[in-house]
């Protein structure tokens, strides 16, 4: 049973609008969460992370929100740009630096 | 600075053949790991190593073998390839609690 789930396999958004990517987890021991971005034929690259002691972390156009009671996190991209088109993976671990468990990924398409 | 280098980029194997996927990093990272990516399944951990001479199993280790004789290299061996091992394989490394650096992947097809 997948401990980290991304229930939307794909998302299409207009350039300039907000993209919201969602992720749910079941393991209550997870306390560190990350988002990775992956372009075709490349390895995933780290985007942003959040520790369970916070409920929000921002980095430029990217914001991650964590709702511990719902075991849910989301990544907001504002404004979305065509170059953001990629597959986004959320990942979780028990403690920063420990083994990561990944979700299945969401393919984001930002239309010009 | 090359980061994490994986070779080969593509490989086709016949069922029962063995091969080694190479991974090398030049960042002096302690932690290295191998993942496989399958559609809808995300990345699943095969094996990992916390330092030279130390390896451990991840979520899906069956059919794979690893060793870590140096800090830089972490090869993944397929002992007897099966069609179920058709996948994209990623090697990753990290230093301490910082985020992972991934290689560009090896696309393996077993026929």
């Amino acid at each position: 049973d997948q401990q980290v789930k991304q229930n939307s396999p794909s998302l299409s958004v207009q350039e300039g609008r907000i993209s919201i990517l969602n992720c749910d987890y079941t393991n209550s021991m997870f306390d560190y969460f990350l988002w990775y971005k992956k372009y075709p034929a490349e390895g995933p690259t780290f985007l942003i992370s959040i520790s369970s002691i916070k409920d929000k972390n921002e980095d430029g156009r990217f914001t991650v929100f964590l709702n511990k009671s719902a075991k849910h996190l989301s990544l907001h991209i504002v404004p979305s740009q065509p170059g953001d088109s990629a597959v986004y993976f959320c990942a979780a671990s028990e403690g920063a630096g420990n083994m990561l468990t990944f979700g299945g990924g969401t393919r984001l398409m930002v239309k010009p | 600075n090359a980061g994490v280098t994986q070779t080969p980029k593509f490989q086709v194997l016949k069922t029962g053949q063995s091969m080694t996927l190479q991974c090398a990093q030049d960042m002096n990272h302690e932690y290295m790991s191998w993942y496989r990516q399958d559609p809808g399944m995300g990345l699943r951990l095969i094996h990992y190593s916390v330092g030279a001479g130390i390896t451990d199993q991840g979520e899906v280790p069956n059919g794979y073998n690893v060793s870590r004789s140096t800090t830089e290299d972490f090869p993944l061996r397929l002992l007897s390839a099966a069609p179920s091992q058709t996948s994209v394989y990623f090697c990753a490394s990290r230093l301490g609690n910082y985020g992972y650096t991934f290689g560009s992947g090896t696309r393996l097809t077993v026929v």
Side-chain angles (χ1 to χ4, degrees):
Chain A
D1 189 31
Q2 282 189 297
Q3 297 186 70
V4 179
K5 288 185 181 179
Q6 294 175 254
N7 290 318
S8 298
S10 64
L11 174 68
S12 182
V13 168
Q14 204 67 33
E15 181 180 5
R17 306 295 291 268
I18 184 171
S19 295
I20 300 177
L21 293 90
N22 294 303
C23 179
D24 296 294
Y25 62 96
T26 57
N27 186 345
S28 58
M29 299 300 291
F30 287 149
D31 59 2
Y32 190 66
F33 305 90
L34 307 91
W35 285 93
Y36 281 83
K37 176 179 177 179
K38 185 184 178 305
Y39 292 118
E42 295 183 11
T45 54
F46 171 73
L47 196 55
I48 192 169
S49 64
I50 188 167
S51 159
S52 62
I53 62 173
K54 292 185 169 184
D55 53 18
K56 176 182 173 182
N57 189 25
E58 273 183 275
D59 184 1
R61 297 186 296 113
F62 301 91
T63 303
V64 56
F65 295 92
L66 176 62
N67 182 334
K68 290 184 289 293
S69 60
K71 293 191 179 68
H72 177 84
L73 66 155
S74 60
L75 175 69
H76 292 209
I77 306 173
V78 184
S80 302
Q81 298 174 353
D84 296 329
S85 297
V87 177
Y88 290 78
F89 291 99
C90 68
S93 67
E94 297 180 29
N98 287 328
M99 195 169 74
L100 288 179
T101 300
F102 283 84
T106 297
R107 182 177 302 276
L108 173 66
M109 292 163 283
V110 180
K111 298 180 179 177
Chain B
N1 193 346
V4 178
T5 302
Q6 289 185 238
T7 55
K9 292 194 182 302
F10 301 95
Q11 183 71 49
V12 178
L13 286 180
K14 293 183 178 178
T15 298
Q17 285 185 316
S18 62
M19 79 158 294
T20 300
L21 279 62
Q22 302 291 345
C23 176
Q25 53 92 7
D26 60 359
M27 299 170 285
N28 204 31
H29 285 178
E30 308 151 342
Y31 187 103
M32 296 185 74
S33 54
W34 276 101
Y35 288 87
R36 59 178 288 173
Q37 183 196 359
D38 301 295
M41 301 291 288
L43 289 91
R44 293 182 292 168
L45 182 65
I46 305 171
H47 285 285
Y48 65 97
S49 168
V50 298
I54 306 169
T55 63
D56 207 345
Q57 296 181 350
E59 182 185 354
V60 288
N62 292 340
Y64 306 95
N65 210 349
V66 291
S67 60
R68 184 94 180 270
S69 55
T70 66
T71 300
E72 295 78 20
D73 300 298
F74 191 44
L76 178 73
R77 295 182 190 84
L78 279 71
L79 308 171
S80 176
S84 61
Q85 293 178 303
T86 293
S87 188
V88 182
Y89 291 84
F90 289 100
C91 179
S93 71
R94 67 169 168 81
L95 181 66
N97 289 342
Y98 295 101
Y100 287 71
T101 300
F102 281 84
S104 58
T106 296
R107 184 174 294 274
L108 176 68
T109 302
V110 183
V111 297

